[in-house]
Amino acid sequence: MTELAPYAITDPISRGRRHAEPAPEYRNHFQRDRDRIVHSTAFRRLEYKTQVFVNHEGDLFRTRLTHSIEVAQIGRAVARTLRLNEDLTEAIALAHDLGHTPFGHAGQDALNHCMTEFGGFEHNLQSLRVVDVLEEKYAEFVGLNLCFETREGILKHCAVPKAKELGDVAQRFLTKQQPSLEAQLANLADEIAYNNHDIDDGLRAGLLSLDQLRAVEVFRVQHDAVIQRYPGLNERRVIHEVVRRMINQQVTDLIEHSRATLEHSSVKNVDEVRAQAGPLLGFSQAMSAMNLELKRFLRQELYAHYRVYRMSDKAKRILTALFEAFMHDPKLLPPEHAQKAATGEREDGLPGRARAVADYVAGMTDRYAIREYRRLFEPLELT
Ligand code: MG
């Protein structure tokens, strides 16, 4: 195995786990983290959570689970090339969406709105909460007891007041430091994955057309190349060929640009990575501009498409109704969650109750949320 770069995270320099544990016998610490994430309940639920298209709209669309696997795939490939810690990158990638609500961003917006008076709701913070607190599986600690570097990577953004509450894992938001290169990478791999698979899903769902997409440079260049090289290729294969080339182009750009930046910066270790004014990994200026164009296109043409918007609107109503019903009367909650709401309220008043309700609602899969809505509000549904 190639040796890791001097600025990669390694076991000996890890800041370790909150609850001290002996090192694993046949794995390194970050493999253990990855394995704990894969075995978590929240990870299994990703299969039934929406990325952009509601799960039951079709079996071919990305879910949060397949999205997370794609992020891990891209992240690992780049990590290996740049001699970064592949296991850590994979762990962060697989965990990065664990805190997502049902129904994609619409769900997150709705829950955040419901929680306005009680500290808000943010899926990054929730992902950290899942691995730190909500997974209750191990005899000796709550949460998954992951390494500092994995937790730091999960917490992509954090507002200053919240950072003060969270302590060491959020310290960098107060001191304006950078996260590890592996964390930077997982974030970029996320961006590459969703931009490209949303094009693929959007075309497949019939919400986007090839003609429309040809207005976007990064797509048009690859589309021209494919139809020129393979005249008469059927549309399905053309689309896949274009998307795979786009991913490849973005990954290659990321590797080459980041490698040059790393060399130029001459960072020698992780502390120097952290002390930089900005992230060291990233795309070239030309690629960043093309990605921006693509994102803008997706925002206008796909995420705001009336069929996606209808789904979002419905999702907001479902989650808001669930939150309000449980918040108003926690006795409606299943006993385990009712107990958490009572404990939360004893310790922290109404915000404590609200947080327990938000945890319950955020943990739901799309279909569970729909079922729970029916059980609560439809007169003929059995409870
Ligand atoms: Mg993601």
Side-chain angles (χ1 to χ4, degrees):
M1 199 178 129
T2 355
E3 210 188 316
L4 293 184
Y7 36 72
I9 298 280
T10 55
D11 273 21
I13 64 160
S14 168
R15 294 195 201 167
R17 303 173 191 278
R18 294 203 287 185
H19 177 92
E21 289 183 73
E25 220 170 331
Y26 299 111
R27 295 171 293 176
N28 64 50
H29 275 293
F30 298 106
Q31 283 177 293
R32 173 189 266 168
D33 280 8
R34 189 251 347 257
D35 298 347
R36 284 186 180 172
I37 290 158
V38 169
H39 288 277
S40 69
T41 309
F43 186 73
R44 285 195 296 282
R45 288 186 184 151
L46 293 177
E47 183 174 2
Y48 300 105
K49 289 195 182 198
T50 291
Q51 186 66 24
V52 173
F53 300 93
V54 176
N55 195 279
H56 59 257
E57 284 186 358
D59 292 342
L60 299 171
F61 300 122
R62 267 74 175 182
T63 64
R64 291 233 169 254
L65 180 65
T66 60
H67 162 68
S68 301
I69 294 170
E70 289 181 29
V71 176
Q73 176 271 311
I74 293 168
R76 287 180 58 187
V78 179
R80 200 180 288 198
T81 310
L82 295 178
R83 294 192 298 130
L84 299 176
N85 190 320
E86 195 178 326
D87 300 315
L88 171 57
T89 308
E90 184 182 18
I92 298 170
L94 293 177
H96 86 283
D97 272 350
L98 288 180
H100 247 295
T101 60
F103 309 122
H105 281 278
Q108 127 105 22
D109 292 347
L111 204 49
N112 188 29
H113 188 75
C114 294
M115 289 291 286
T116 313
E117 291 166 52
F118 311 111
F121 179 90
E122 208 280 317
H123 73 264
N124 267 294
L125 282 171
Q126 190 70 6
S127 296
L128 187 67
R129 194 168 155 75
V130 166
V131 301
D132 278 358
V133 184
L134 297 180
E135 284 286 326
E136 293 175 320
K137 307 176 96 82
Y138 295 87
E140 299 205 352
F141 44 81
V142 290
L144 304 180
N145 198 34
L146 302 181
C147 293
F148 173 87
E149 293 75 12
T150 311
R151 298 171 57 233
E152 168 200 55
I154 292 170
L155 193 64
K156 269 193 295 198
H157 325 277
C158 188
V160 167
K162 195 72 201 171
K164 286 182 182 154
E165 271 171 51
L166 283 173
D168 64 349
V169 72
Q171 188 71 18
R172 70 185 173 89
F173 297 100
L174 305 175
T175 55
K176 304 258 183 286
Q177 286 197 306
Q178 305 307 313
S180 72
L181 294 168
E182 288 80 357
Q184 296 177 27
L185 171 54
N187 194 12
L188 291 156
D190 185 23
E191 194 181 321
I192 296 176
Y194 68 67
N195 279 336
N196 289 290
H197 66 47
D198 286 353
I199 291 178
D200 191 40
D201 282 353
L203 284 166
R204 199 187 287 272
L207 303 187
L208 299 175
S209 70
L210 285 173
D211 276 351
Q212 237 180 331
L213 267 160
R214 283 184 54 81
V216 183
E217 188 184 354
V218 68
F219 185 90
R220 187 177 56 246
V221 170
Q222 301 300 344
H223 187 242
D224 281 343
V226 172
I227 49 179
Q228 200 170 28
R229 172 133 190 219
Y230 306 103
L233 190 68
N234 80 48
E235 191 173 298
R236 197 56 251 157
R237 288 169 78 171
V238 168
I239 292 166
H240 187 261
E241 192 64 34
V242 173
V243 171
R244 98 171 170 96
R245 282 163 184 248
M246 285 173 64
I247 295 176
N248 189 50
Q249 190 190 5
Q250 288 168 26
V251 168
T252 306
D253 182 272
L254 172 62
I255 289 170
E256 288 170 4
H257 185 72
S258 301
R259 192 181 266 156
T261 314
L262 283 165
E263 266 167 37
H264 184 73
S265 72
S266 63
V267 285
K268 288 180 292 297
N269 54 49
V270 178
D271 289 339
E272 291 180 15
V273 168
R274 293 186 186 285
Q276 296 291 307
L280 286 166
L281 301 194
F283 301 105
S284 66
Q285 237 170 29
M287 185 56 79
S288 299
M290 285 198 283
N291 279 343
L292 199 65
E293 189 198 11
L294 173 59
K295 267 192 202 159
R296 216 170 274 149
F297 171 87
L298 287 171
R299 209 177 313 130
Q300 281 166 11
E301 305 300 330
L302 182 63
Y303 310 142
H305 192 286
Y306 86 99
R307 273 172 54 201
V308 175
Y309 185 76
R310 276 185 188 186
M311 185 280 284
S312 303
D313 187 60
K314 192 161 31 171
K316 282 183 186 170
R317 260 179 282 129
I318 293 175
L319 286 205
T320 306
L322 287 175
F323 180 89
E324 281 172 359
F326 294 132
M327 190 61 199
H328 177 69
D329 187 359
K331 288 199 292 290
L332 292 170
L333 288 162
E336 184 198 340
H337 294 278
Q339 207 175 3
K340 286 185 176 169
T343 312
E345 195 164 349
R346 218 177 307 120
E347 289 168 0
D348 197 22
L350 271 190
R353 180 201 282 191
R355 188 57 59 190
V357 171
D359 286 340
Y360 177 52
V361 174
M364 293 177 184
T365 60
D366 296 1
R367 58 185 189 174
Y368 184 89
I370 293 167
R371 256 187 249 143
E372 196 66 336
Y373 181 89
R374 284 198 189 123
R375 283 191 287 251
L376 282 178
F377 300 110
E378 278 183 21
L380 296 179
E381 191 76 16
L382 295 173
T383 49

